[in-house]
Amino acid sequence: MLCRCDDTGKWIHPPLERSRFTGGPVHFEEVSGNGTVFSFIVVRQPLVPGRVPPYVVGLIEFDEQPGLRINAVIDADPASVRIGQRVRLRITELGDSGLRIPEFVVCE
């Protein structure tokens, strides 16, 4: 779920208490989870719990709106990830922390 402006219907991420477009109210609404790799890096240091380097952190643009982007791990071989590649969101456990985070997988 992501934040959305009540007045314009535009998505807002990161979420805000008031719309950056109108100053009006916002609400949370479910997104499809489908998107495209806008940019990415290969991380070679152990920074994310439960991830053994090398792994990919991508900037993903959701299908819902141009410019609606989120950073997240892409669960794929770093050598196979490409800008423009289609991905799908899933929620996964963050190591043994008990926390759940967004993660993307490459669409077949």
Side-chain angles (χ1 to χ4, degrees):
M1 297 190 80
L2 292 178
C3 187
R4 195 166 196 185
C5 174
D6 285 1
D7 299 325
T8 66
K10 290 184 180 180
W11 297 91
I12 302 168
H13 185 75
L16 298 170
E17 291 182 358
R18 307 297 291 170
S19 171
R20 74 169 51 106
F21 305 106
T22 67
V26 296
H27 66 281
F28 283 84
E29 194 171 315
E30 192 170 320
V31 292
S32 68
N34 298 316
T36 303
V37 177
F38 182 82
S39 181
F40 69 94
I41 60 169
V42 177
V43 179
R44 301 187 188 284
Q45 301 290 328
L47 300 174
V48 175
R51 292 287 171 185
V52 177
Y55 56 89
V56 179
V57 174
L59 181 59
I60 308 301
E61 185 166 271
F62 283 104
D63 290 349
E64 278 78 3
Q65 174 180 298
L68 179 63
R69 300 180 188 133
I70 185 173
N71 287 310
V73 169
I74 300 173
D75 186 18
D77 175 4
S80 70
V81 177
R82 302 283 182 262
I83 291 174
Q85 196 168 34
R86 299 289 298 156
V87 291
R88 173 117 177 100
L89 176 71
R90 70 179 177 196
I91 303 297
T92 188
E93 298 290 326
L94 180 61
D96 295 327
S97 70
L99 299 174
R100 295 166 41 104
I101 62 168
E103 173 182 85
F104 287 86
V105 293
V106 174
C107 296
E108 299 294 324

